[in-house]
Amino acid sequence: QLVESGGDSVQAGGSLRLSCVASGFKYVNNCMGWFRQAPGKESEGIAAIHTGAGRPFYAESLKDRFTISQDANKRTVCLAMSNLKPEDTGMYFCGADKLGLCTVIDGAPAKDDYEFWGQGTQVTVS
């Protein structure tokens, strides 16, 4: 199970920190990723982290503003977002790739490898 939190409505230029708590499966040596989907648009991979090696992966277009991190003891992966823009508005989802492949396409996590998903948390930037 994955449970996201931290979504909110903010002004452009603001910051948010999203959290994803994992339970019910082995946490270590997975790949945990963040994705988002805006209304009328396809899902977009944002960032991922290998929970064993701690190595992060970022979509090239977002890496300057978004930072992924983890607290393995709390089985939690966070996404810190800064200088938010209206185009960052969308539902943000956490996913788990239990094989730990961390497959990326142009740096962004590839959605097809992710087996478990949270319910999402809404981010609105105005």
Side-chain angles (χ1 to χ4, degrees), residues 1-85:
Q1 183 181 11
L2 300 173
V3 179
E4 303 98 332
S5 62
D8 205 345
S9 295
V10 297
Q11 296 288 326
S15 300
L16 282 175
R17 185 178 180 86
L18 308 183
S19 295
C20 171
V21 180
S23 64
F25 60 91
K26 180 175 66 68
Y27 179 83
V28 177
N29 291 329
N30 293 331
C31 197
M32 300 290 290
W34 282 98
F35 299 78
R36 67 184 182 184
Q37 187 158 21
K41 294 186 177 181
E42 293 188 0
S43 175
E44 177 184 18
I46 301 169
I49 188 166
H50 190 278
T51 59
R55 179 183 176 185
F57 303 84
Y58 293 98
E60 192 67 24
S61 62
L62 299 173
K63 66 179 183 179
D64 292 336
R65 299 188 295 120
F66 290 18
T67 302
I68 192 169
S69 62
Q70 66 165 343
D71 183 336
N73 290 330
K74 296 182 179 179
R75 301 169 60 93
T76 299
V77 175
C78 293
L79 183 70
M81 307 184 293
S82 63
N83 190 22
L84 285 163
K85 304 175 181 181

